[in-house]
Amino acid sequence: MRRQWALLEHALGSLRRRAWRHVALAVAVALVVGVYGSALLLADALRGEWRSTLASVPDLVVQRLEGGRPALVEVAALAEVVPLDAPGVRSAEARVWGYLFVEALGANVTVVGGERPLDGALAAGRAPRAGAERPECVVGVALADHFAVRPGDRLAVPDARGELVLLEVVGVFVAASALQTADVLVTDDATARRLLALPEGRATDYAVTLSRPEEAPVIAGQVRARMSDARVIERDALVRTYELTFDGRSGLLSALLVPCLAVLLLLVWERLSGLGEAERREIGVLKAVGWETRDVLTARLWESAIVAVGGAWVGALAAYAHVFWLDAVGLRGALFGWSALHPPLELTPVIDPTAAWTLLGVVVVPFVGASIVPAWRAASIDVDEAIR
Amino acid sequence: MTERASAEAIGATDVAKRYFDGATRVHAVEGVSLSVARGELVVVQGTSGSGKTTLLGLLGGLIAPTRGDVRIAGKSTVHMRDHHRTRWRRAHVGFVFQELQLIRRMSLLENVLLPLVPSGGARMTHVERAERLLERFGLAEKRDVGVERLSGGERQRGALARALVLEPEVLLLDEPTAHVDAENAARVVDLLAEEKAAGRAILATTHDPRLADDPRVDRAVVMEAGQLRAPDA
């Protein structure tokens, strides 16, 4: 232990003596980690967003098609369409929801009707109640920010006929569910019907929750048999679509970054393998005064590890700041291309430990290895030859 | 000359070093046998290229011989594995190189502490030991000064302090007075005499009469074309 401390102290002195060179190397490491880390952090954050979105998607969504487009379903027909007594079915409901274009926002708002518990989903406030004196609503964080409303404020939203409906904001969704709730407005069933001009007795679709999700294809088959014009969307199919689309893009981005990583590591290798005359002589002196090869290599290892880990930390912090504070400028387009999100989405920081270790393995380990090899070569030659 | 002590601290028997310089075979050292006892100060004289420095490297375990045996503190080092030989050398031999080999941009104290780093140990103890040496060598004021800002004499004494910091039995010096003025040369010779009196075996190469002719030198040998002979031979 004492030997390690002494060698570490020597390594720190050596870093100090060649400060500019080591700073330049740390910057190179920081650059590689920063670029690669940004891509990984952004990919992980987006993956986290869509996983959180899919977690709340029902196991089956049943739509009725008319002319190849989704049409309204009959609320009363729910029991006829969904085999509620089938062992795998836990519950089913006719949902009232739809898109409402809000000119002031320049985008669609997703209006969702019905009273449901929203515990844990709200950053502030409570769920809307039916029969309140004034219609109540809960809004996504992007809507709340755009209209600068908080629980207790009022929000005027035009209904399908263009008449303004005054809603009392009673809650705001948590930012972590932004991908899912950013443009959502949840209100009671009657208000939602009014906003969407959706007649009583009819609904947008049926949502089915299963107690055994693996039985989804069986239940879907039964639904299709009962309703010939049904389109049944299974949750697994959505997951596969997201994975194929998103992982393909993030994989492509990572693959594009590999050459950049390789080039930078090659530069580092080139920089390090050309051990200068002074350094070679210094290693010779150390051996001449009684240092063993392992002492030289250990000191060198400390030196490289400090530069690499220091650089990696700076790079990781820069990547974090780039993705979560600077909105992933430059990379956003590459990974967000699958959807135009309005209002804008704020990413929730997600750090995958596997990705962090991968980054460490891909950058820090080769860097340290690259510096050890020339030192080992210099430390292995005759002392006499090294110091001449 | 004083009476030669009986216990050998460092010795060589029929040692040779040959190497190729391009296609030419060079006999740098050929069949040298030598023994230096504790408390003995021996000088090796000879012209440039006579093989003095190579002999010093062979005796100090820095160069592997082509033939023969080298003993340090009673142990043959020729067949030792590299790391064993390094450890043995660190424990028993202090070396002062002709070019001194102090590391630039390090302070004098840091240079003197270098041999102590691999053995770890309490840092304060190390610093105190190094400081005592620097004080004795008149360098206490210069401990934190970068070696490139020291005078030739100060560097020479600093290199000697580094060689002595592990309190070795054997001190090997390559031209210790070559690049210093008369005053500093006399000071270096005085310090070597003190170390000899302390029981250290000292072998120094030189062609400086200020050292070679000093009455405190026990023995002088001459190196010529890689071979050793007595000065009067």
Side-chain angles (χ1 to χ4, degrees), chain A residues 104-191:
Chain A
L105 186 66
N108 282 329
V109 169
T110 307
V111 176
V112 178
E115 296 78 41
R116 62 195 73 209
L118 297 172
D119 306 335
L122 301 180
R126 57 171 176 80
R129 282 190 296 245
E133 190 184 335
R134 187 185 307 280
E136 297 178 343
C137 72
V138 165
V139 292
V141 68
L143 275 180
D145 287 348
H146 184 85
F147 291 114
V149 290
R150 292 289 175 267
D153 294 339
R154 287 172 188 173
L155 180 65
V157 181
D159 66 12
R161 291 179 198 84
E163 291 171 15
L164 286 176
V165 178
L166 202 58
L167 303 172
E168 180 159 346
V169 178
V170 294
V172 176
F173 283 107
V174 290
S177 64
L179 187 67
Q180 184 190 353
T181 63
D183 65 346
V184 165
L185 184 151
V186 175
T187 183
D188 63 273
D189 200 70
T191 308

Side-chain angles (χ1 to χ4, degrees), chain B residues 171-200:
Chain B
L171 190 55
L172 302 176
L173 307 101
D174 197 1
E175 303 283 358
T177 55
H179 306 297
V180 292
D181 57 25
E183 188 187 338
N184 275 302
R187 200 159 181 185
V188 168
V189 176
D190 286 347
L191 287 169
L192 293 183
E194 282 173 27
E195 293 305 320
K196 173 196 150 179
R200 255 179 265 285

